[in-house]
Amino acid sequence: MDRILVRGGNRLSGTIPISGAKNSALTLLPCALLTDEPLTLRNLPRLADVDSFGHLLNQLGCSTMIEGARPEDFGRVMTLRAGKVTATIAPYDIVRKMRASILVLGPLLARAGEATVSLPGGCAIGNRPIDLHLKALEAFGAQMETTSGYVTARAKDGRLPGGKIIFPVVSVGATENALMAAARARGTCVIENAAREPEIVDLCNLLVAMGVQIDGIGTETLTIEGTDRLHGATYRVMPDRIEAGSYACAVGIAGGDVDLVGANPADMQATLGALRDAGVTVEEHRKGIRVSSDGKLGPLTLSTAPFPGFATDMQAQFMAMLTKAGGASVLTETIFENRYMHVPELARMGADIQVRGRSAVVRGVDRLVGAPVMATDLRASMSLIIAGLVAEGETNVQRVYHLDRGYERLEEKLSAVGADIERVSDG
Ligand code: UD1
């Protein structure tokens, strides 16, 4: 199993290219199921989750072809074609390993009139139910049946009649499944209290490019006029705002001057505002975002919230950055009940963090010290890398497969700007 070794103390300077967004890619890929024509996605990140999603689509009858990108290039182009859907089930084994697999539910139902997915169960960051995904499909006219850990959605006569769902809380995943199910509905579908994340806008833009009519893109009310004549498209995945924010936190704590080329500041205002409040210099320009810091940071009070609020996916990385701020920060996690699994690991490196209910108080310390650490999820793993960049001695980050799910060639990107970081393979 691979490990990543970080020796702290280096400032970072240079350029980091920002990859295509993982969270966007994983909702654009299943759109291939909506049409028998080819869908070409550009700027797809090279990540384990994208490969796994491709394998799931293959099992459903969708072919995937990667165009000849050179190994040294970041990103790649994939053409998907679901000429005929040959299976309508996402089995437990796959959903268990990759929660995003539940995003085949909406498009499979829309295309084949029936879809079965395994209920995902809990995960490292919380309970994460899918009841809102199911309620949305039901509201659009699907008949639902749950047996033996699987849920089946069926559309009478093959197509959903349409309808309206008012979500009681904002859910990114449920909004995505609802949008894809609505894309081929016979009547109008309305989503109230829809998620407004940039990845939702990316999904809407692809569906529009495929022939669906959507009003209210980027707002909390989406009105979708479905069509059974969806066609193929070529579409470029948006830049990864979480990857860009993570590297900005790395520069914040380590000090230095780094250009995040390809990042889109418009998608990242809450993150950029928080960085500025902490004392990091952030300059938005035409090609990306330039971040510079002398490593001297002030404390913050932050609470996670749906977009345009401060993203839950940035909480762990900010916490790592604030372990060395001058003063006490308070971070409150409102989206997931158990998203502080990085706290004990950061504490082993010398951080002073106390969790009380949904909030964590982070008191800045003068020094962090490298240690063997491991995390149970993707963003938590990144927080350990960020802390490792300033820790004295060596930080040995285990369970690197979490990082490989969401950061395209992390160690290459960080060592190119001066970090002392390497991947070690034990096998
Ligand atoms: C969430 C984040 C997203 C992040 C992703 C991975 C939000 C709003 N969503 O998306 O930014 O990229 O995790 O870290 O910040 N819920 C239900 N029933 C459901 C679905 C969700 O009760 O059927 C609840 C969840 O438990 C959670 C909230 O709604 O408290 C938001 O969840 P949701 O947006 O659906 O989660 P993801 O799509 O995984």
Side-chain angles (χ1 to χ4, degrees):
M1 217 185 274
D2 290 0
R3 294 175 290 133
I4 288 185
L5 296 182
V6 192
R7 281 167 289 264
N10 292 6
R11 287 168 72 82
L12 307 179
S13 93
T15 298
I16 296 181
I18 297 307
S19 295
K22 171 183 86 84
N23 287 346
S24 188
L26 297 182
T27 189
L28 301 181
L29 286 163
C31 291
L33 294 168
L34 289 167
T35 173
D36 58 2
E37 294 182 18
L39 169 65
T40 299
L41 295 176
R42 301 188 167 278
N43 198 35
L44 269 179
R46 294 181 184 222
L47 297 172
D49 269 11
V50 170
D51 294 339
S52 307
F53 212 109
H55 294 145
L56 169 60
L57 291 173
N58 293 153
Q59 289 187 25
L60 304 175
C62 177
S63 66
T64 49
M65 198 185 71
I66 293 164
E67 275 172 40
R70 295 169 307 168
E72 64 269 30
D73 290 339
F74 289 104
R76 60 188 178 193
V77 179
M78 190 190 280
T79 296
L80 304 102
R81 184 164 195 179
K84 198 163 177 282
V85 170
T86 54
T88 56
I89 176 163
Y92 178 62
D93 240 20
I94 295 179
V95 179
R96 186 173 54 89
K97 287 191 204 121
M98 183 182 50
R99 284 188 59 86
S101 320
I102 55 172
L103 293 175
V104 299
L105 180 62
L108 269 182
L109 169 66
R111 171 83 181 276
E114 180 176 322
T116 301
V117 298
S118 162
L119 295 167
C123 93
I125 63 175
N127 187 18
R128 302 184 84 177
I130 61 161
D131 57 313
L132 300 177
H133 301 234
L134 310 184
K135 282 205 175 90
L137 303 184
E138 214 166 5
F140 296 164
Q143 287 149 4
M144 314 298 293
E145 194 186 315
T146 306
T147 38
S148 317
Y150 280 81
V151 60
T152 299
R154 286 191 189 86
K156 210 168 155 227
D157 312 325
R159 280 180 81 190
L160 292 172
K164 179 173 175 170
I165 175 78
I166 306 174
F167 284 125
V169 294
V170 175
S171 163
V172 173
T175 303
E176 290 167 344
N177 250 330
L179 271 162
M180 291 185 278
R184 289 179 71 104
R186 197 171 277 127
T188 306
C189 294
V190 178
I191 308 174
E192 296 264 20
N193 200 21
R196 290 179 284 160
E197 267 66 3
E199 293 77 12
I200 298 280
V201 173
D202 219 25
L203 169 61
C204 288
N205 288 340
L206 171 61
L207 292 174
V208 168
M210 294 172 79
V212 182
Q213 193 188 316
I214 306 177
D215 284 342
I217 294 175
T219 74
E220 58 190 32
T221 304
L222 296 168
T223 305
I224 305 111
E225 302 293 343
T227 170
D228 60 352
R229 289 186 302 278
L230 264 89
H231 47 76
T234 296
Y235 192 82
R236 186 178 167 84
V237 181
M238 64 175 271
D240 198 316
R241 63 192 172 107
I242 308 301
E243 185 198 28
S246 303
Y247 289 129
C249 288
V251 178
I253 194 168
D257 187 345
V258 171
D259 212 355
L260 304 169
V261 174
N264 182 3
D267 294 340
M268 299 174 57
Q269 286 304 310
T271 294
L272 300 184
L275 287 164
R276 288 186 177 112
D277 289 347
V280 177
T281 303
V282 177
E283 189 192 316
E284 302 173 21
H285 59 85
R286 212 168 40 85
K287 290 194 173 154
I289 303 169
R290 186 171 164 188
V291 184
S292 50
S293 161
D294 58 6
K296 293 192 182 66
L297 302 170
L300 295 176
T301 298
L302 288 172
S303 191
T304 62
F307 191 85
F310 179 73
T312 175
D313 275 349
M314 286 306 305
Q315 182 255 107
Q317 302 89 310
F318 267 80
M319 185 179 290
M321 185 180 85
L322 293 167
T323 57
K324 288 211 63 189
S329 300
V330 181
L331 301 186
T332 304
E333 175 57 62
T334 69
I335 309 289
F336 295 114
E337 68 273 19
N338 190 24
R339 208 170 188 180
Y340 286 132
M341 303 298 275
H342 41 289
V343 170
E345 299 299 301
L346 289 170
R348 294 183 57 248
M349 298 173 72
D352 179 352
I353 307 170
Q354 275 167 358
V355 176
R356 289 199 195 97
R358 293 200 156 218
S359 293
V361 178
V362 186
R363 289 191 178 78
V365 292
D366 289 337
R367 55 194 283 261
L368 296 176
V369 183
V373 285
M374 63 170 80
T376 43
D377 78 81
L378 168 59
R379 308 302 170 189
S381 302
M382 187 61 189
S383 77
L384 303 176
I385 300 277
I386 291 170
L389 291 171
V390 291
E392 288 166 21
E394 191 170 88
T395 300
N396 180 342
V397 182
Q398 299 172 44
R399 298 193 182 166
V400 170
Y401 53 85
H402 288 301
L403 289 164
D404 292 338
R405 288 184 42 223
Y407 290 91
E408 182 171 8
R409 287 189 276 169
L410 165 95
E411 68 281 10
E412 257 180 73
K413 291 191 185 187
L414 278 173
S415 54
V417 292
D420 186 347
I421 181 169
E422 64 177 317
R423 178 183 291 253
V424 181
S425 204
D426 289 334

